[in-house]
Amino acid sequence: MGFYNLKIINSGDERVEVYYSKDYKIRTGEVKKNRGQARRYKTKEQVQYEKKKNKLTNLNNSRNKINRLIASNPDLDKFITLTYAESVKMEDSKKHLAYFFTKLRRKQEGLKYIWVLEFQGNGNIHYHILTNLKINIDTNRYRKSERHKEVEREFSDKYWKHGFVDIRDLKAEGNTNVAKYLTAYITKDMMDKEMNGKRIFGYSKGTMDKPIITKVLEEVKDQQELLKLFEEYDINFTNSYSIGSFGDKVNYFDMVKKENKK
């Protein structure tokens, strides 16, 4: 078990995230809690606040994970929405989704996908999917051609008999920030849903390229010296937060390759 003060997350070649603490060293591995510590009584309001805070943290973590997976897999260029013609139970919809991907994997070896669940205003379920599925559609950003609609009907008849499908080719439409298409559906509204342990998103485990995480001890004097280690990147977003018992700071940098910044 060692220590680190610099964590680097490389999501493909285009994006890198950096967490750095100048004066605080973080222990690697799991730190066990003191079981002998007395339990502190929490009021009902504190429990509700912590529950809400944890849900919001989980939503933000889900967004971050999706963003990193998308950046690590630039071949995800088809955006598919699965809808239901009638209301369906959550348990049944998850079975439908699993069978949908089973049939697609039979069609295409090396299939990649990320899916996100969405609730409509009336409570009905949608599934939004980003995938590398090879399917030819006559795509247009503003209006679908008759051939495009026919491809969607044929696809629905073969792979999704529960309602309707919408298929978009994001690269053909010129949409470069595909992450927004999925993370936009992970909203605070989901905090009010009782999911009973059901996942709000998932991805193909065996085919997706994963972000590379590096944890090291690095002696860096100041922020400018740190950023010199990443001169080929531009800063997209930066933040800082407290860590440890004495309020030490961790600085966070979200950066993209200079030639790829939009």
Side-chain angles (χ1 to χ4, degrees), residues 19 33-34 42 45 77 84 100 125 174 177:
Y19 297 80
K33 297 181 179 179
N34 184 0
K42 296 180 181 179
E45 290 75 17
D77 59 356
Y84 281 94
F100 170 80
I125 294 170
N177 196 346

Side-chain angles (χ1 to χ4, degrees), residues 102-118:
T102 295
K103 290 187 287 186
L104 285 189
R105 284 192 293 268
R106 293 170 183 166
K107 170 182 171 62
Q108 179 174 315
E109 185 178 357
L111 180 74
K112 297 181 180 182
Y113 57 82
I114 307 174
W115 62 264
V116 168
L117 179 150
E118 181 205 8

Side-chain angles (χ1 to χ4, degrees), residues 51 55 90-91 94 119 190-200:
K51 184 177 180 181
K55 283 187 176 181
M90 173 69 70
E91 292 78 9
K94 288 297 181 68
F119 291 100
M190 284 187 173
M191 294 172 60
D192 300 325
K193 302 292 183 182
E194 292 298 330
M195 298 297 294
N196 296 321
K198 300 295 183 181
R199 293 182 299 162
I200 62 174

